[in-house]
Short mmCIF file of all heavy atoms in Angstrom, two decimals:
data_model
loop_
_atom_site.label_atom_id
_atom_site.label_comp_id
_atom_site.label_asym_id
_atom_site.label_seq_id
_atom_site.Cartn_x
_atom_site.Cartn_y
_atom_site.Cartn_z
N ALA A 283 2.23 9.89 7.59
CA ALA A 283 3.16 10.38 6.57
C ALA A 283 3.61 9.26 5.64
O ALA A 283 3.56 9.39 4.41
CB ALA A 283 4.36 11.05 7.23
N LEU A 284 4.05 8.14 6.22
CA LEU A 284 4.51 7.03 5.39
C LEU A 284 3.36 6.16 4.91
O LEU A 284 3.24 5.87 3.71
CB LEU A 284 5.52 6.18 6.17
CG LEU A 284 6.82 6.87 6.58
CD1 LEU A 284 7.78 5.87 7.23
CD2 LEU A 284 7.49 7.54 5.40
N GLY A 285 2.49 5.73 5.83
CA GLY A 285 1.39 4.83 5.46
C GLY A 285 0.41 5.46 4.49
O GLY A 285 0.29 5.03 3.33
N ASN A 286 -0.29 6.50 4.93
CA ASN A 286 -1.27 7.19 4.07
C ASN A 286 -0.60 7.90 2.90
O ASN A 286 -1.08 7.85 1.76
CB ASN A 286 -2.06 8.21 4.88
CG ASN A 286 -3.11 7.57 5.78
OD1 ASN A 286 -3.79 8.27 6.52
ND2 ASN A 286 -3.26 6.25 5.75
N GLY A 287 0.53 8.58 3.19
CA GLY A 287 1.17 9.40 2.17
C GLY A 287 1.66 8.59 0.98
O GLY A 287 1.36 8.92 -0.18
N PHE A 288 2.41 7.54 1.24
CA PHE A 288 2.96 6.75 0.13
C PHE A 288 1.89 5.90 -0.55
O PHE A 288 2.02 5.58 -1.74
CB PHE A 288 4.13 5.90 0.62
CG PHE A 288 5.42 6.66 0.67
CD1 PHE A 288 5.79 7.34 1.83
CD2 PHE A 288 6.25 6.75 -0.43
CE1 PHE A 288 6.97 8.08 1.88
CE2 PHE A 288 7.44 7.46 -0.39
CZ PHE A 288 7.80 8.14 0.76
N MET A 289 0.83 5.55 0.17
CA MET A 289 -0.26 4.84 -0.49
C MET A 289 -0.94 5.77 -1.51
O MET A 289 -1.32 5.35 -2.60
CB MET A 289 -1.29 4.35 0.53
CG MET A 289 -2.32 3.39 -0.05
SD MET A 289 -3.75 3.18 1.00
CE MET A 289 -4.66 4.70 0.71
N SER A 290 -1.07 7.06 -1.14
CA SER A 290 -1.65 8.02 -2.07
C SER A 290 -0.75 8.22 -3.29
O SER A 290 -1.23 8.32 -4.42
CB SER A 290 -1.87 9.37 -1.37
OG SER A 290 -2.85 9.27 -0.37
N LEU A 291 0.57 8.28 -3.07
CA LEU A 291 1.51 8.42 -4.18
C LEU A 291 1.40 7.23 -5.13
O LEU A 291 1.44 7.38 -6.36
CB LEU A 291 2.94 8.54 -3.65
CG LEU A 291 3.31 9.86 -2.97
CD1 LEU A 291 4.67 9.74 -2.28
CD2 LEU A 291 3.33 11.01 -3.97
N ALA A 292 1.24 6.03 -4.57
CA ALA A 292 1.12 4.83 -5.40
C ALA A 292 -0.17 4.81 -6.19
O ALA A 292 -0.25 4.18 -7.25
CB ALA A 292 1.20 3.58 -4.52
N GLY A 293 -1.19 5.53 -5.70
CA GLY A 293 -2.50 5.53 -6.36
C GLY A 293 -2.50 6.09 -7.77
O GLY A 293 -3.44 5.85 -8.52
N ARG A 294 -1.46 6.83 -8.13
CA ARG A 294 -1.35 7.35 -9.49
C ARG A 294 -0.76 6.32 -10.45
O ARG A 294 -0.77 6.52 -11.66
CB ARG A 294 -0.48 8.61 -9.51
CG ARG A 294 -1.19 9.83 -8.97
CD ARG A 294 -0.35 11.07 -9.15
NE ARG A 294 -1.17 12.28 -9.02
CZ ARG A 294 -0.68 13.51 -9.01
NH1 ARG A 294 0.62 13.70 -9.13
NH2 ARG A 294 -1.48 14.55 -8.91
N ILE A 295 -0.22 5.24 -9.89
CA ILE A 295 0.49 4.27 -10.72
C ILE A 295 -0.22 2.93 -10.79
O ILE A 295 -0.27 2.29 -11.85
CB ILE A 295 1.93 4.08 -10.18
CG1 ILE A 295 2.66 5.43 -10.14
CG2 ILE A 295 2.70 3.05 -11.01
CD1 ILE A 295 4.00 5.39 -9.42
N VAL A 296 -0.77 2.49 -9.66
CA VAL A 296 -1.43 1.17 -9.62
C VAL A 296 -2.89 1.33 -9.19
O VAL A 296 -3.24 2.28 -8.49
CB VAL A 296 -0.70 0.21 -8.64
CG1 VAL A 296 0.70 -0.10 -9.15
CG2 VAL A 296 -0.64 0.79 -7.24
N PRO A 297 -3.77 0.41 -9.59
CA PRO A 297 -5.19 0.49 -9.26
C PRO A 297 -5.45 0.40 -7.75
O PRO A 297 -4.63 -0.11 -7.00
CB PRO A 297 -5.80 -0.71 -10.00
CG PRO A 297 -4.82 -1.06 -11.06
CD PRO A 297 -3.48 -0.72 -10.49
N SER A 298 -6.62 0.88 -7.33
CA SER A 298 -6.97 0.88 -5.91
C SER A 298 -7.07 -0.53 -5.34
O SER A 298 -6.65 -0.78 -4.21
CB SER A 298 -8.30 1.62 -5.71
OG SER A 298 -9.35 1.00 -6.44
N GLY A 299 -7.61 -1.47 -6.12
CA GLY A 299 -7.71 -2.85 -5.65
C GLY A 299 -6.34 -3.46 -5.43
O GLY A 299 -6.12 -4.20 -4.46
N PHE A 300 -5.41 -3.15 -6.32
CA PHE A 300 -4.03 -3.61 -6.19
C PHE A 300 -3.43 -3.11 -4.88
O PHE A 300 -2.80 -3.86 -4.12
CB PHE A 300 -3.23 -3.11 -7.39
CG PHE A 300 -1.77 -3.50 -7.41
CD1 PHE A 300 -1.34 -4.50 -8.25
CD2 PHE A 300 -0.85 -2.85 -6.61
CE1 PHE A 300 0.01 -4.86 -8.29
CE2 PHE A 300 0.49 -3.19 -6.64
CZ PHE A 300 0.92 -4.19 -7.48
N SER A 301 -3.60 -1.81 -4.60
CA SER A 301 -3.06 -1.22 -3.38
C SER A 301 -3.62 -1.89 -2.13
O SER A 301 -2.90 -2.16 -1.17
CB SER A 301 -3.36 0.29 -3.33
OG SER A 301 -2.74 0.97 -4.39
N SER A 302 -4.92 -2.16 -2.14
CA SER A 302 -5.56 -2.76 -0.96
C SER A 302 -5.03 -4.15 -0.69
O SER A 302 -4.82 -4.54 0.46
CB SER A 302 -7.08 -2.80 -1.15
OG SER A 302 -7.44 -3.70 -2.18
N VAL A 303 -4.80 -4.93 -1.75
CA VAL A 303 -4.25 -6.27 -1.58
C VAL A 303 -2.82 -6.19 -1.05
O VAL A 303 -2.44 -6.94 -0.14
CB VAL A 303 -4.27 -7.05 -2.92
CG1 VAL A 303 -3.51 -8.36 -2.80
CG2 VAL A 303 -5.72 -7.33 -3.33
N PHE A 304 -2.03 -5.27 -1.58
CA PHE A 304 -0.65 -5.11 -1.13
C PHE A 304 -0.61 -4.74 0.36
O PHE A 304 0.20 -5.28 1.13
CB PHE A 304 0.03 -4.03 -1.96
CG PHE A 304 1.54 -4.12 -1.96
CD1 PHE A 304 2.20 -4.63 -3.06
CD2 PHE A 304 2.28 -3.68 -0.88
CE1 PHE A 304 3.60 -4.72 -3.07
CE2 PHE A 304 3.66 -3.75 -0.88
CZ PHE A 304 4.33 -4.27 -1.98
N MET A 305 -1.48 -3.82 0.77
CA MET A 305 -1.51 -3.39 2.17
C MET A 305 -1.95 -4.49 3.12
O MET A 305 -1.70 -4.42 4.32
CB MET A 305 -2.41 -2.17 2.32
CG MET A 305 -1.90 -0.91 1.61
SD MET A 305 -0.31 -0.32 2.21
CE MET A 305 -0.78 0.35 3.82
N ALA A 306 -2.61 -5.52 2.58
CA ALA A 306 -3.04 -6.66 3.41
C ALA A 306 -1.86 -7.50 3.86
O ALA A 306 -2.03 -8.44 4.65
CB ALA A 306 -4.04 -7.52 2.64
N LEU A 307 -0.66 -7.18 3.38
CA LEU A 307 0.54 -7.88 3.83
C LEU A 307 0.86 -7.56 5.29
O LEU A 307 1.69 -8.24 5.91
CB LEU A 307 1.73 -7.48 2.94
CG LEU A 307 3.07 -8.16 3.17
CD1 LEU A 307 2.97 -9.65 2.88
CD2 LEU A 307 4.13 -7.53 2.29
N GLY A 308 0.19 -6.57 5.86
CA GLY A 308 0.47 -6.10 7.21
C GLY A 308 0.61 -7.17 8.28
O GLY A 308 1.62 -7.20 9.01
N PRO A 309 -0.37 -8.09 8.45
CA PRO A 309 -0.25 -9.10 9.50
C PRO A 309 1.01 -9.96 9.36
O PRO A 309 1.61 -10.36 10.36
CB PRO A 309 -1.52 -9.94 9.31
CG PRO A 309 -2.51 -8.97 8.75
CD PRO A 309 -1.71 -8.10 7.82
N SER A 310 1.42 -10.24 8.13
CA SER A 310 2.64 -11.02 7.91
C SER A 310 3.87 -10.24 8.39
O SER A 310 4.79 -10.79 8.99
CB SER A 310 2.80 -11.38 6.43
OG SER A 310 1.75 -12.22 6.00
N LEU A 311 3.87 -8.92 8.13
CA LEU A 311 4.98 -8.10 8.59
C LEU A 311 5.03 -8.03 10.11
O LEU A 311 6.11 -8.07 10.70
CB LEU A 311 4.84 -6.68 8.02
CG LEU A 311 5.16 -6.50 6.53
CD1 LEU A 311 4.91 -5.06 6.12
CD2 LEU A 311 6.61 -6.88 6.23
N LEU A 312 3.86 -7.95 10.74
CA LEU A 312 3.83 -7.91 12.20
C LEU A 312 4.40 -9.19 12.80
O LEU A 312 5.08 -9.16 13.83
CB LEU A 312 2.40 -7.69 12.69
CG LEU A 312 1.85 -6.28 12.51
CD1 LEU A 312 0.38 -6.22 12.91
CD2 LEU A 312 2.66 -5.28 13.32
N VAL A 313 4.16 -10.33 12.14
CA VAL A 313 4.74 -11.59 12.60
C VAL A 313 6.27 -11.47 12.59
O VAL A 313 6.95 -11.87 13.55
CB VAL A 313 4.29 -12.77 11.70
CG1 VAL A 313 5.10 -14.03 12.02
CG2 VAL A 313 2.81 -13.06 11.91
#
């Protein structure tokens, strides 16, 4: 709901490559 859902909502505003780079922040958040 949050991960997939909000990434899809963002897809109307920012490019797909932008979204993928942003989502790569994951390992830093896990730290």
Side-chain angles (χ1 to χ4, degrees):
L284 297 185
N286 284 178
F288 277 90
M289 190 196 77
S290 293
L291 288 170
R294 284 186 162 174
I295 303 171
V296 295
S298 60
F300 180 104
S301 297
S302 67
V303 171
F304 201 104
M305 294 299 288
L307 184 64
S310 296
L311 286 177
L312 286 175
V313 170

